[in-house]
Amino acid sequence: MMKPMPEMNHATHELIRKRWSPRAFSSQPVEKETILTLFEAARWAASCMNEQPWRFLYATKNESEQYQRLFHCLSQSNQVWCITAPVLVMTFVRVNFERNNQPNRWAFHDLGLAVGNLTTQASALNLYVHNMAGFSLEKARASFNIPSDFEPVTMIALGYLGDPEQLPEELKTREIAQQQRKPLDELFINYS
Ligand SMILES: Cc1cc2nc3c(=O)[nH]c(=O)nc-3n(C[C@H](O)[C@H](O)[C@H](O)COP(=O)(O)O)c2cc1C
């Protein structure tokens, strides 16, 4: 069974409509050139003062030492399904501006824009991205030599779609469930 397309009130671009966060990935590896294309898309995102505060650390499954170090940082509930992900990424932001070392309160925003670009490029290449907050910052700092002005933000599993049947039962149900969102009206606020 396939994931149904989201029910939208206004037709959006197919690359947006087809995006969702899978847990079952195919064993098909992602070519180096394809991975670099995803990060190239991230690179061209807008950022406050063109600071480009985003950084990425990634490994493919065949770079097993680095992959294992990343995998080890994930929470157990994410490890359960990430086991099939051919690529793991850790994202970071530089929390202070390079120009004056003042706090950059837009760094997380700009990382989000970069990951958004990466995600849309992934959609165009038939790849799928699953963002994760569930990983240990302590393990990340212990496993990698992360400079103190960089903060780990998320981890990302990415790859081609796999068969939901490979997942444990409760995850299988979620894998094919219809995506849910707040109604569009709720996005608009009125402070007056
Ligand atoms: C910053 C962030 C952190 C997330 N953390 C996790 C996570 O640790 N584990 C997980 O399974 N999904 C995680 N997700 C995925 C969300 O649950 C998912 O995007 C949301 O339910 C909407 O589903 P959809 O992306 O399929 O539309 C995260 C998403 C984001 C953007």
Side-chain angles (χ1 to χ4, degrees):
M1 180 148 175
M2 295 274 290
K3 185 87 164 175
M5 281 278 198
E7 284 165 8
M8 295 194 172
N9 300 122
H10 304 271
T12 65
H13 198 281
E14 192 208 337
L15 296 182
I16 302 212
R17 229 166 44 227
K18 73 187 281 208
R19 188 215 62 82
W20 59 284
S21 304
R23 293 187 170 81
F25 290 96
S26 138
S27 60
Q28 185 184 343
V30 185
E31 298 293 326
K32 202 75 171 182
E33 177 58 30
T34 306
I35 295 173
L36 292 178
T37 305
L38 299 179
F39 289 117
E40 183 76 47
R43 178 181 172 220
W44 289 97
S47 63
C48 182
M49 312 277 274
N50 202 18
E51 172 76 12
Q52 304 157 66
W54 46 73
R55 296 292 184 279
F56 305 97
L57 197 164
Y58 76 93
T60 61
K61 238 185 184 157
N62 52 14
E63 296 160 325
S64 62
E65 205 268 334
Q66 179 94 325
Y67 185 96
Q68 280 311 319
R69 276 207 282 168
L70 284 168
F71 188 82
H72 169 75
C73 295
L74 290 167
S75 66
Q76 218 171 10
S77 58
N78 284 329
Q79 282 181 344
V80 170
W81 57 267
C82 274
I83 200 112
T84 64
V87 186
L88 287 177
V89 183
M90 192 178 281
T91 75
F92 305 85
V93 289
R94 191 181 201 280
V95 292
N96 296 316
F97 281 107
E98 277 180 44
R99 66 196 64 225
N100 58 12
N101 232 30
Q102 292 302 301
N104 178 2
R105 68 178 291 265
W106 300 279
F108 292 87
H109 171 277
D110 294 349
L111 171 67
L113 289 183
V115 173
N117 265 16
L118 179 151
T119 304
T120 306
Q121 183 66 50
S123 282
L125 297 168
N126 230 11
L127 282 159
Y128 288 78
V129 166
H130 198 137
N131 299 287
M132 294 171 282
F135 71 101
S136 159
L137 294 178
E138 294 68 35
K139 282 186 188 165
R141 291 225 178 259
S143 309
F144 302 102
N145 207 0
I146 303 164
S148 60
D149 53 345
F150 284 87
E151 200 168 307
V153 182
T154 57
M155 288 186 68
I156 301 174
L158 71 90
Y160 298 98
L161 280 189
D163 184 354
E165 288 302 319
Q166 72 201 39
L167 291 168
E169 204 54 46
E170 76 279 9
L171 293 183
K172 206 187 303 179
T173 314
R174 282 164 78 179
E175 196 75 349
I176 55 176
Q178 178 87 57
Q179 288 161 279
Q180 299 297 331
R181 286 300 186 270
K182 292 177 173 145
L184 187 58
D185 285 355
E186 260 186 55
L187 273 57
F188 308 116
I189 46 180
N190 186 350
Y191 286 138
S192 60

